Amino acid sequence: MRLIFFGPPGSGKGTQAKLLSEEFGISHISTGDLLRAAMANRTPLGIKAKSFMDAGNLVPDEVMIKLIHEVLESEQAKNGFILDGFPRTVAQAEALDAMFAELGIVLDRVISLRVEHDEIIRRLTDRLTCSSCGRIYNSSQLQKDHPDRCPYCAGELYQRPDDTPATARHRLEVYLKETKPLKEFYRNSDRFTQIDGMQPISNVHEIVVRLLTKD
Ligand code: AMP
């Protein structure tokens, strides 16, 4: 299974990709996670990406295209994958098509999650990530007696620095300007499906699973 999850920040791409990768045993490839790991390890990629990410801007296309090419060539992508956060520009989508042709990869689906703008800001500024397992929560999902700990693995929860209100609003603007036009790139293909991402996580997951198992 080879999938792309598409949508604005906070639409649930990461949450849904994680659920699906666990259920179907395929790689979850999140470019945001790869960049955050590179930043934490202070690699040349992380150092290059930091100022863009901190400001809520996109990391330049040539950097991202090189990164995703390396991942798609690696063992990690051999048995299927879910791309979460790539492509984010038309140039990235065109480069991805060329990579698929070069590597003999056939894309099964592009799943687009639609969420209203107010809800995006609400979700981004209310979300916490587990520093240990990477699961994502909102404040209503936390344990009352341990609100700073992951309910799944007890890892420490943190707020992403780019989830502050001002940066979250800027990321939404960047999405509307740079990434939303990509919908037109994929919309006319029969592999494209849009799902209402305003629904509860479990409903969206169920719809995605039904869609993929009927293919
Ligand atoms: P995410 O975790 O997907 O919200 O990504 C966090 C940040 O990483 C984004 O705001 C960008 O700065 C950067 N990033 C992730 N994926 C890409 C991409 N495909 N193109 C450019 N920048 C990216």
Side-chain angles (χ1 to χ4, degrees), residues 114-129:
R114 202 199 62 80
V115 175
E116 286 164 17
H117 294 180
D118 289 355
E119 174 68 5
I120 289 169
I121 301 299
R122 200 195 60 72
R123 285 187 189 178
L124 289 179
T125 52
D126 184 46
R127 86 175 164 185
L128 293 170
T129 307

Side-chain angles (χ1 to χ4, degrees), residues 9 30-33 35-36 52-53 56-59 64 84-88 92 127 160 162 171:
S30 155
T31 43
D33 285 351
L35 293 172
R36 278 183 288 279
F52 297 98
M53 292 180 75
N57 289 320
L58 295 185
V59 175
M64 297 310 300
D84 159 18
F86 190 97
R88 257 177 159 103
Q92 291 181 15
R127 86 175 164 185
R160 278 173 44 176
D162 57 350
R171 284 164 63 210

